[in-house]
Amino acid sequence: MIIHISQNACENQIDEITQFVESMGLNAHRSNGSNRIILGLTGDVSKVDVNTLKKYHIVEGVYRITAPYKKANRQFHEKDSIIDIDGVKVGGSHFLMCAGPCSVENETDTIELAKQLKASGANALRGGAFKPRTSPYSFQGLGVEGLKILNEAKKETGLPIVSELMGTEHLDTFVDMVDVIQIGARNMQNFDLLKAIGQTDKPILLKRGMSAKIEEWLMSAEYILAGGNKNVIFCERGIRTFEDATRNTLDIQAVPVVQKESHLPIVVDPSHAAGVRYVIPSMAKAAVMAGANGLQIEVHQNPEKAWSDGQQSLTPEEFSDLMSTIQLLLQMEGKTL
């Protein structure tokens, strides 16, 4: 349930209605909008009489929300959320351009690639240190050593780090060494992990599960928000369909749908969606025009020799060419890197 409160309301009046709501066993979550103050009520609101709340002079409206996600709901938080990633912002008119290798392989190549990416316009560095792989025999990543390499690249370039967390075992290490904790598609509904990262204030990049509906995706974000962490970024990376010409089917429609339902930013990962290199530029441009708040793209100096997923990685030269177009499209969309 949402209560719209007049912007001119005094704090003691707001405290009074908050205490009244809490006396009914509900929790009141306040959000200051541009035109009004919003109280989001959670708990069993089925027995709440709307007219009882409307009797307060400061109440402009009371609305029941049927969606099970409250904190992620745009009705609770009208303005776009802006997430700060160590000085880089994403959300609203701020665009996140995250690029880097699927897996961190060595320090020299990672630093050199990070420099090339920054020169081309990237404002965040992605890199897998712990890699979830379908086969147990595939390369699983360098682990903590990979995070150390990413931090060396950050020292050289200033690019904030995005890397995937597999489980709660290394959570403290990621909080210390990573700027954005990525939750992969396989872990989108790992609720113990979502609860754990909800106890941090670290920005979270929440990838959509390969067979997840948008509502399920929003509910996963709700787990994080319910823990107190407001810094959630959605990442559309394609869903599993009957089509096998590409690895997944990029659900570009998810961008406007999520933006209608939620105040949280959404970025698009065309690399994991396509699984093949030639599709990536077209889908990246389509994502910008669909209104996405950012992109995540895999880049490798020599994709043919990449330790993982070279087939879906652009070369630095291809990325630079793509960025020339992306910059023009961002100007058309009123977004800035």
Side-chain angles (χ1 to χ4, degrees):
M1 181 174 284
I2 298 293
I3 304 175
H4 285 176
I5 294 177
S6 170
Q7 188 73 37
N8 299 321
C10 299
E11 285 299 320
N12 65 324
Q13 292 175 307
I14 299 173
D15 290 341
E16 181 183 354
I17 192 170
T18 299
Q19 291 171 12
F20 173 71
V21 165
E22 292 176 344
S23 71
M24 293 188 287
L26 303 175
N27 296 311
H29 307 277
R30 178 173 172 174
S31 176
N32 294 325
S34 56
N35 299 315
R36 61 176 67 89
I37 297 167
I38 300 170
L39 285 183
L41 308 187
T42 57
D44 184 7
V45 298
S46 61
K47 299 179 181 180
V48 176
D49 182 355
V50 172
N51 290 324
T52 301
L53 298 173
K54 287 183 176 179
K55 70 182 182 182
Y56 290 88
H57 294 297
I58 62 172
V59 173
E60 295 181 342
V62 181
Y63 308 93
R64 292 190 182 275
I65 297 177
T66 56
Y69 44 90
K70 310 297 183 192
K71 293 178 179 293
N73 200 308
R74 186 173 285 278
Q75 291 187 52
F76 172 64
H77 191 293
E78 294 178 320
K79 296 178 63 177
D80 291 337
S81 285
I82 310 296
I83 311 298
D84 190 290
I85 306 170
D86 197 22
V88 174
K89 295 181 179 180
V90 56
S93 63
H94 303 282
F95 195 84
L96 178 68
M97 186 65 250
C98 177
C102 175
S103 300
V104 177
E105 298 173 4
N106 62 72
E107 183 173 319
T108 300
D109 289 344
T110 301
I111 292 175
E112 179 58 31
L113 179 59
K115 291 178 178 178
Q116 292 175 298
L117 296 174
K118 183 175 183 179
S120 296
N123 56 9
L125 174 66
R126 63 144 292 147
F130 295 83
K131 293 300 299 177
R133 305 302 299 278
T134 302
S135 171
Y137 309 110
S138 300
F139 174 60
Q140 304 290 312
L142 297 178
V144 175
E145 182 60 31
L147 296 181
K148 293 178 181 178
I149 290 172
L150 288 171
N151 274 269
E152 289 302 315
K154 181 181 179 180
K155 289 179 183 178
E156 293 286 335
T157 63
L159 294 176
I161 299 166
V162 181
S163 195
E164 182 172 349
L165 175 65
M166 301 276 292
T168 57
E169 177 185 359
H170 296 288
L171 177 56
D172 290 342
T173 301
F174 269 69
V175 169
D176 290 338
M177 301 182 70
V178 171
D179 298 297
V180 179
I181 297 176
Q182 177 176 302
I183 300 300
R186 295 171 178 85
N187 274 320
M188 189 205 82
Q189 290 183 311
N190 182 340
F191 299 121
D192 286 340
L193 179 57
L194 299 180
K195 289 177 183 177
I197 59 176
Q199 299 299 312
T200 76
D201 61 357
K202 187 68 66 172
I204 306 298
L205 185 69
L206 181 64
K207 289 208 165 185
R208 184 180 182 181
M210 61 184 70
S211 299
K213 296 192 300 182
I214 289 177
E215 182 175 298
E216 294 169 329
W217 191 16
L218 289 163
M219 285 303 297
S220 291
E222 192 77 7
Y223 265 90
I224 302 170
L225 296 168
N229 188 344
K230 301 178 180 179
N231 302 307
V232 180
I233 306 163
F234 290 109
C235 182
E236 164 60 39
R237 44 78 71 196
I239 53 177
R240 177 173 289 174
T241 69
F242 56 82
E243 182 56 68
D244 58 6
T246 55
R247 174 188 284 181
N248 297 293
T249 298
L250 182 62
D251 184 8
I252 204 71
Q253 296 176 132
V255 173
V257 172
V258 167
Q259 289 175 332
K260 176 181 179 294
E261 293 294 319
S262 179
H263 53 91
L264 299 169
I266 176 172
V267 306
V268 172
D269 179 351
S271 298
H272 274 90
V276 286
R277 185 177 307 115
Y278 77 91
V279 177
I280 296 171
S282 295
M283 292 301 96
K285 289 179 279 189
V288 175
M289 297 311 294
N293 302 110
L295 289 167
Q296 186 180 54
I297 295 179
E298 291 189 3
V299 184
H300 193 281
Q301 285 105 327
N302 190 345
E304 293 180 357
K305 294 184 178 180
W307 292 4
S308 62
D309 288 344
Q311 78 284 355
Q312 63 188 39
S313 298
L314 299 181
T315 64
E317 294 74 24
E318 290 171 331
F319 178 75
S320 180
D321 290 342
L322 174 60
M323 282 303 300
S324 297
T325 304
I326 294 295
Q327 294 275 17
L328 294 175
L329 296 179
L330 289 176
Q331 291 179 25
M332 293 172 58
E333 286 294 295
K335 290 186 170 65
T336 56
L337 279 166

